[in-house]
Amino acid sequence: MTHLRSERVNGRSLAGVFRRRGLGDFLRLGKGEEKTGGRQKPSIQAGAIEALVGAIYLDAGYARCVQWAESWFWDAGLNEEDVLSQDFKSRLQRLAQRDGNKPPGYHLVRESGPEHEKEFEVEVRLGRRVLGRGQGTTKKAAEQVAAREAVHKIEEA
């Protein structure tokens, strides 16, 4: 269940809920964000959903907030296998521990680009052995790419 919960409350999922519910017209953005496409930024969309949850909690209380959240988030029809197939970091950790290893470590190799368009390169290691490298616009995304490469290497061996 933890994997199912984490899939439903991560930034990507929250942004998806935002888009499916057509909430873009309700955002109030500054001129700069409006010019740079802020309505389409997943981080802003996810933040708006988090703010909405907080507002409902403060206005209506815990029970109503849970009821609302369940109706918006928990009816996606995901099963655990679907969730785990996309979470390569968790899969890699389970593979490593299954073989008696310590959890893998993620190390930032390179960070480049201007502040608003960062690119990260990360490698994942098991002990001293590099199992994979990944690039992404966030460290988390780069870690997932590196973990995916590592999982494929381990599963093919």
Side-chain angles (χ1 to χ4, degrees), residues 118-134:
K118 286 284 187 194
E119 180 77 23
F120 299 92
E121 184 174 349
V122 171
E123 64 183 20
V124 59
R125 300 178 188 160
L126 198 53
R128 293 185 177 174
R129 183 174 160 216
V130 175
L131 294 177
R133 278 187 172 230

Side-chain angles (χ1 to χ4, degrees):
M1 288 303 288
T2 299
H3 298 295
L4 291 173
R5 184 196 56 77
S6 69
E7 177 64 20
R8 300 243 165 85
V9 296
N10 69 34
R12 186 181 75 242
S13 296
L14 294 177
V17 168
F18 178 94
R19 289 188 300 275
R20 281 192 304 278
R21 298 293 182 170
L23 299 178
D25 291 340
F26 298 100
L27 281 181
R28 291 184 64 190
L29 300 174
K31 291 178 185 175
E33 279 300 342
E34 196 70 69
K35 284 182 181 180
T36 60
R39 285 180 204 286
Q40 283 70 47
K41 290 183 180 175
S43 60
I44 290 176
Q45 295 171 344
I49 291 291
E50 289 177 355
L52 184 57
V53 170
I56 291 169
Y57 170 75
L58 291 173
D59 187 60
Y62 178 78
R64 294 285 295 160
C65 185
V66 168
Q67 185 179 36
W68 174 85
E70 286 176 346
S71 72
W72 273 44
F73 298 107
W74 305 112
D75 296 333
L78 293 175
N79 63 47
E80 189 170 12
E81 188 174 312
D82 292 336
V83 170
L84 296 179
S85 70
Q86 299 303 311
D87 184 1
F88 291 99
K89 287 178 68 175
S90 293
R91 280 175 62 184
L92 178 58
Q93 183 162 337
R94 280 191 303 281
L95 286 170
Q97 290 176 331
R98 175 195 72 189
D99 295 336
N101 296 304
K102 291 182 180 179
Y106 296 87
H107 303 279
L108 182 63
V109 173
R110 187 179 52 84
E111 181 178 327
S112 62
E115 209 50 48
H116 66 284
E117 277 186 88
K118 286 284 187 194
E119 180 77 23
F120 299 92
E121 184 174 349
V122 171
E123 64 183 20
V124 59
R125 300 178 188 160
L126 198 53
R128 293 185 177 174
R129 183 174 160 216
V130 175
L131 294 177
R133 278 187 172 230
Q135 292 182 346
T137 56
T138 65
K139 289 178 189 175
K140 195 179 228 181
E143 289 172 354
Q144 279 289 343
V145 173
R148 181 178 63 211
E149 184 177 301
V151 164
H152 291 312
K153 279 183 185 176
I154 291 171
E155 289 179 344
E156 288 173 3

